Amino acid sequence: MWYASRVTKHVDVAVVGAGILGLSVGYHLLSRQRSLRVVIVEQAPVAGAGSTGKATGGIRCQHASEVLVRLSMASIDEYRNFERLTGVDVEFDDVGYLLFASTPHAAEQLAETVAIMRRCGVAVEALDAGAIARRWPHLRTEGIRLGSWTPGDGHASPHAAVTGYLQAYRRLGGRIVFGEKVVGIEVASGSVTGLRTADRTIETPVIANVAGVEAAQLARSAGLDLPVRPYRRQVAVLAPLRLGDGRVPLTMDVDSGWYLHQQRDGTMLLGGIDKDTHPGTQEVVDAGVIDRLLELGMRLIPRLAAARLVRSYAGLRALTPDDLPILGPAPWPRGLFCACGFAGHGFMHAPAVGDLLARWILDGDPGMSGLDACLPDRFLRTSTSLQ
C-alpha cells in the first residue's frame, strides 16, 4: 500500500493532523476535486486522538465576533446534513444555548453579542431573569441582568464526526499515514517543497498545517512564527440527573465561564472556569478547579447537589493573542496554509473551516468575506505597525 512505503512520494496536498479539522480539510478537498492526490499525516495511531478526543461537542452561534458567528452558522448547516454527506449520523441535537450575565460589564458584552448575531441573521432572543426562570425553573436566576437564547444551537458527537469524515475521505480516495510525527517542512526558493517524518519524505507544493497545539512548532520548521500556545481545559463528568421537565440547553454563565452540557443519556459535563491557566501541555487534572466547578454548579442549579461525580479529565486547546483562529495562506513560505488556534472551538467550526481552506487552496478564494481578521499575517502586520 502507498502509505506503507518508506520512499519519497509526491502528492498535491499534504495535511498535517488527523483531528476533526484535518479530516474535514481532507474531505472537503476531495469533495471539490476527486482527482487530487491528498495525504493526511498523523502522529497518533488513530484519528481524533488529540484535542478532538476531549471535545465536549457544543456548537453555538453565540460569539462576540462576526467571523466566528458565520463559521458556526456554516458548520451547523453541514452538521445537520452530515449523514447525507458522509453516511454517519453525527447525532446533532438542537437543544439550544442559554447564556446569561449578572454583572453590568458582562451584560453589556452579551448585549453586543446578541446584536452581532442579529446582524448575521441568527435566531436569538434576549431574555430577562423572569423569562429565564419561567422557561428553565431549575436555574437560579437571582441577580441575572440579561440572558440570550439561540434555539438552533446544540451539540453533536465528536467521535461520530471523526468517523464520518474519515470514512468519506477514504471513499473519495484520500490516503492517511498514522503513527508518524512530521518533524519539518521543506522549503526551496520561498515555496513549500515537502514535509519530513522520521520515516519518509513526502514531496508536495501545498501543506495544510492543522496540527492543533503543535501547529506553532511545525510552522517554525518553515521559518514562520505563529503565536499559538496550548492551554489546559478541564471537565467534570456527572452521572445522569433529571433537572427539569423539558430538554436542558447548554447553559453558560458569562461572568465565570462556567457551563453545563447535558448529553443525550443524561450525563452532565461541567467546565469553562479555567480560562486563566498558564500555557503548557500537561493534561493533569487540578482537583481545586473541579471543586470550584461543582460549587458554582450547585449555586446556579441547586439540584446539582444530588449529582454524583463520575470522573474528570483535562485536555488542551490552542489559543492566539486575539482569541481568533489562524486561518488561511501563510505569508511565507508559499504553499503553506494554516488552520489552528481555535480556542477549543475546532470541533464546532470544523465543517466550515474544512470547506473554506479547501476553497482557498484550490481556488485562491475561501468564498466567505470577513476572514482578513483570521489571516496568519495579521500578527506580522501588527508588529510591523508598532515599529
Side-chain angles (χ1 to χ4, degrees):
M1 299 178 74
W2 181 91
Y3 47 82
S5 173
R6 300 302 183 188
V7 300
T8 301
K9 292 290 181 179
H10 181 89
V11 298
D12 297 307
V13 184
V15 180
V16 182
I20 188 66
L21 286 165
L23 293 171
S24 177
V25 171
Y27 163 76
H28 282 93
L29 281 167
L30 290 174
S31 293
R32 293 181 60 78
Q33 190 170 321
R34 183 78 177 263
S35 62
L36 282 176
R37 292 168 295 178
V38 181
V39 64
I40 298 175
V41 185
E42 167 59 46
Q43 63 179 335
V46 295
S51 296
T52 302
K54 304 291 181 67
T56 56
I59 307 166
R60 59 182 165 92
C61 289
Q62 299 218 37
H63 297 284
S65 161
E66 183 170 325
V67 67
L68 297 182
V69 173
R70 295 195 181 279
L71 289 175
S72 290
M73 294 172 69
S75 293
I76 288 173
D77 284 344
E78 181 155 310
Y79 277 134
R80 288 186 181 278
N81 292 286
F82 199 78
E83 187 170 10
R84 178 180 61 81
L85 295 171
T86 70
V88 174
D89 178 8
V90 79
E91 302 173 16
F92 181 76
D93 195 354
D94 54 353
V95 296
Y97 254 84
L98 172 66
L99 273 64
F100 58 87
S102 300
T103 64
H105 177 65
E108 182 179 347
Q109 288 183 316
L110 191 56
E112 292 174 359
T113 298
V114 170
I116 290 171
M117 287 189 288
R118 285 175 173 163
R119 287 200 301 270
C120 293
V122 176
V124 56
E125 294 181 54
L127 305 173
D128 60 21
I132 294 173
R134 288 189 293 273
R135 295 194 193 188
W136 300 284
H138 64 274
L139 185 65
R140 180 175 286 164
T141 58
E142 290 85 355
I144 291 179
R145 293 174 179 267
L146 180 66
S148 61
W149 163 242
T150 43
D153 292 346
H155 56 80
S157 166
H159 174 73
V162 166
T163 302
Y165 277 141
L166 178 60
Q167 291 181 356
Y169 169 73
R170 281 177 157 161
R171 281 196 302 270
L172 292 169
R175 297 158 172 167
I176 191 161
V177 174
F178 285 121
E180 293 188 28
K181 180 181 175 65
V182 176
V183 296
I185 295 173
E186 297 192 333
V187 179
S189 302
S191 297
V192 165
T193 59
L195 60 77
R196 287 178 289 104
T197 75
D199 299 306
R200 77 183 76 232
T201 298
I202 299 174
E203 295 178 345
T204 181
V206 178
I207 292 175
N209 179 0
V210 200
V213 296
E214 297 190 8
Q217 179 180 347
L218 179 63
R220 278 195 295 272
S221 72
L224 177 65
D225 184 20
L226 292 180
V228 182
R229 307 182 76 183
Y231 285 77
R232 181 175 57 182
R233 204 72 192 268
Q234 298 180 79
V235 175
V237 183
L238 307 185
L241 178 71
R242 184 173 178 176
L243 297 179
D245 294 331
R247 297 195 300 172
V248 177
L250 280 100
T251 306
M252 182 182 298
D253 173 21
V254 176
D255 288 281
S256 66
W258 179 94
Y259 69 80
L260 177 141
H261 167 180
Q262 188 162 36
Q263 302 183 104
R264 283 186 173 184
D265 63 359
T267 301
M268 292 173 289
L269 309 179
L270 307 184
I273 65 170
D274 49 0
K275 296 182 291 184
D276 298 324
T277 56
H278 296 292
T281 58
Q282 296 297 314
E283 297 184 34
V284 179
V285 173
D286 182 338
V289 171
I290 302 302
D291 287 343
R292 291 199 298 276
L293 281 172
L294 298 174
E295 290 169 3
L296 263 173
M298 288 184 286
R299 179 172 64 81
L300 295 168
I301 302 175
R303 290 186 189 181
L304 289 181
R308 177 173 59 88
L309 178 65
V310 176
R311 64 187 179 95
S312 54
Y313 65 89
L316 297 176
R317 56 191 178 130
L319 301 183
T320 65
D322 59 8
D323 294 326
L324 290 176
I326 295 175
L327 180 59
W332 69 81
R334 291 182 297 275
L336 178 60
F337 292 79
C338 301
C340 54
F342 283 85
H345 300 149
F347 171 73
M348 183 184 300
H349 291 147
V353 169
D355 180 59
L356 293 171
L357 206 65
R359 291 172 182 270
W360 237 320
I361 290 170
L362 297 176
D363 305 331
D365 184 346
M368 178 185 287
S369 61
L371 291 177
D372 285 355
C374 299
L375 288 173
D377 68 352
R378 69 186 186 271
F379 301 107
L380 176 65
R381 293 197 302 263
T382 299
S383 62
T384 302
S385 65
L386 294 176
Q387 291 179 354

